[in-house]
Amino acid sequence: MHRNWGIRHFRRGELPGASLLLSLGLATTLLIQTAPAQAQVNFAPVQNLVDRDENVALVLGDFDNDGDLDIVTAPEGSSNDCCLSRFTNGGAANFGSPDTLPLPGANRNLALVAGDLNGDGDLDLVTSSYALYSYGFGTLGVLENRGKGSGTFAVRLNQYRSAPPVSITLGDLDGDGDLDLAGVSGFGYSARLAIVVPNRGRRYFAGRGGERLPLVNPYEIASGDLDGDGDLDLVAINSYPSEVAVLRNRSNGTFAPAQYFPAVQGGRQIAVGDLDGDGDLDLVTGGVGGVVVLSNLGDGTFSAGLPVATSATSDVAVADLNGDGALDILYTGSAASFDAVTVLVNNGNGGFLAPVSFAVASPSALAVGDLDNDGDLDVVTASAFNPYVGVLLNTTATARSTRSRRSG
């Protein structure tokens, strides 16, 4: 989901409609614009699903091929064998108790993504975790969907002698038609780098090979064609110093050294999407300093960041929540006391409306998709502070889009 309007610069007197400029320092301004109420978004009160544990990540996908999006979460785990939880959608966003997807030999989940790894039309899962009883050793787990609508998985685990990726993303990085893996390993570990591993067919990501690219304190990674040359580039958010690292694809699945651009203070999250409707992918960064947008200058380089929110975040995402063709921003707070998902609606004229918050119990991770098949995008949250998985069903009257994009 790469559409549309977001950040532009206006001269004094050119701001469309009523506007509020909040000074955040000598050189920084927060642009919040007012607009008719119908441009905002609405959600029904949260529905809380009860998981077995607190969670570090979640994904949405139709894992049983019945036409409805299911929810898979990654519980934090313990010293025992780890697992995933799956809430199966029975239709119209009706979810029962979670099933357990075992991950023998792994513990303490770190990251979770979904994609069709073997081209059979079924969604598979990839996890990153600590190796059981081996702190500092990583485990990549591939849960291969057995297909035929069963929603069951065959587990393949690969342990490797390095720090586990704290964030992973999938994409066809080498242009051969299958999904490769990229991850970042480094925040809190001695090995601070991006890891790129090609898809090796039935072996998936096992064995040696790929690239290891040095970075500085990377925390999360995402992919997208940032320079418009037709292949997928990588971008990582660094926590300290506060910057993003852009790794350009050389069109063969290898990457040029990182270029760095200033981002949000204490960066933790990143999302990619065309916020200003110019055809280039922009960056939304979240962290200790709030939410900062970096506009793509058209060649994969980025403007100085523009703050759009100032409270610390635990996750950010972009999605067209009201069906107007423009990407909105969603974020969750970083503290257990932050009981809301906050939305910044893109006004289509270069800025964002005042934030609107929706009550959820301590959310810390976000996913977006049409859970009830009514044509608009709903929001699902997971929490690192409680076992609740929150479902927010979109009730915006004008919402018609089902396009979305998440960090990675």
Side-chain angles (χ1 to χ4, degrees):
M1 62 160 232
H2 309 329
R3 292 275 311 154
N4 258 354
W5 283 95
I7 298 298
R8 279 175 33 197
H9 298 287
F10 294 91
R11 293 190 295 272
R12 185 179 297 274
E14 290 185 335
L15 292 173
S19 304
L20 177 64
L21 293 174
L22 302 179
S23 175
L24 300 178
L26 292 177
T28 305
T29 298
L30 175 64
L31 176 60
I32 297 294
Q33 298 189 315
T34 61
Q38 64 266 25
Q40 288 286 16
V41 298
N42 292 293
F43 291 90
V46 65
Q47 303 173 31
N48 283 322
L49 310 177
V50 181
D51 209 340
R52 59 180 41 84
D53 201 350
E54 297 88 359
N55 287 293
V56 298
L58 79 162
V59 294
L60 305 182
D62 184 6
F63 297 102
D64 52 9
N65 286 329
D66 65 350
D68 301 303
L69 292 180
D70 310 307
I71 303 168
V72 175
T73 62
E76 185 176 14
S78 65
S79 59
N80 299 314
D81 283 350
C82 199
C83 64
L84 303 177
S85 294
R86 177 183 55 196
F87 294 87
T88 299
N89 191 337
N94 291 311
F95 297 92
S97 299
D99 302 319
T100 298
L101 304 177
L103 286 172
N107 75 322
R108 294 204 178 275
N109 287 312
L110 294 170
L112 172 67
V113 292
D116 183 2
L117 298 178
N118 54 10
D120 63 354
D122 301 303
L123 282 178
D124 310 300
L125 294 162
V126 182
T127 69
S128 171
S129 63
Y130 299 129
L132 190 59
Y133 308 124
S134 301
Y135 181 81
F137 284 54
T139 295
L140 281 179
V142 173
L143 283 76
E144 182 183 80
N145 195 326
R146 293 189 174 101
K148 298 182 180 179
S150 67
T152 62
F153 296 85
V155 180
R156 301 168 182 265
L157 291 173
N158 174 43
Q159 184 174 327
Y160 56 99
R161 301 179 65 86
S162 65
V166 295
S167 172
I168 50 181
T169 186
L170 299 176
D172 185 6
L173 302 176
D174 53 11
D176 65 351
D178 53 32
L179 295 179
D180 310 302
L181 179 144
V184 287
S185 174
F187 190 83
Y189 301 98
S190 58
R192 298 174 180 177
L193 43 81
I195 305 164
V196 179
V197 185
N199 190 328
R200 298 182 175 93
R202 298 296 295 178
R203 296 174 62 217
Y204 295 116
F205 310 115
R208 299 182 179 275
E211 278 192 287
R212 293 173 175 258
L213 305 164
L215 294 176
V216 181
N217 290 323
Y219 208 95
E220 189 167 283
I221 192 169
S223 60
D225 184 4
L226 301 178
D227 53 10
D229 64 352
D231 49 43
L232 289 178
D233 309 301
L234 299 172
V235 58
I237 180 79
N238 287 344
S239 189
Y240 302 101
S242 302
E243 58 194 8
V244 294
V246 174
L247 297 159
R248 295 198 191 196
N249 197 325
R250 295 189 176 105
S251 298
N252 60 2
T254 67
F255 293 84
Q259 292 180 281
Y260 293 94
F261 303 91
V264 67
Q265 177 188 2
R268 297 288 195 277
Q269 311 93 36
I270 190 162
V272 180
D274 183 5
L275 295 172
D276 52 12
D278 63 355
D280 303 307
L281 295 179
D282 309 304
L283 305 177
V284 178
T285 62
V288 174
V291 180
V292 172
V293 174
L294 284 71
S295 294
N296 194 326
L297 299 179
D299 57 358
T301 64
F302 293 87
S303 67
L306 180 64
V308 294
T310 57
S311 58
T313 63
S314 62
D315 204 1
V316 297
V318 292
D320 181 6
L321 296 175
N322 58 3
D324 63 354
L327 289 182
D328 311 306
I329 296 174
L330 307 82
Y331 63 91
T332 54
S334 64
S337 59
F338 195 102
D339 290 329
V341 171
T342 300
V343 176
L344 296 168
V345 171
N346 194 326
N347 72 359
N349 289 311
F352 293 89
L353 307 186
V356 181
S357 294
F358 300 91
V360 179
S362 305
S364 52
L366 288 166
V368 182
D370 186 3
L371 297 177
D372 51 7
N373 283 328
D374 65 350
D376 52 42
L377 291 174
D378 310 302
V379 176
V380 183
T381 67
S383 176
F385 306 102
N386 61 57
Y388 297 128
V389 175
V391 175
L392 289 167
L393 295 180
N394 195 330
T395 59
T396 308
T398 58
R400 292 292 181 269
S401 174
T402 57
R403 292 164 292 170
S404 66
R405 183 181 180 88
R406 171 70 178 83
S407 66

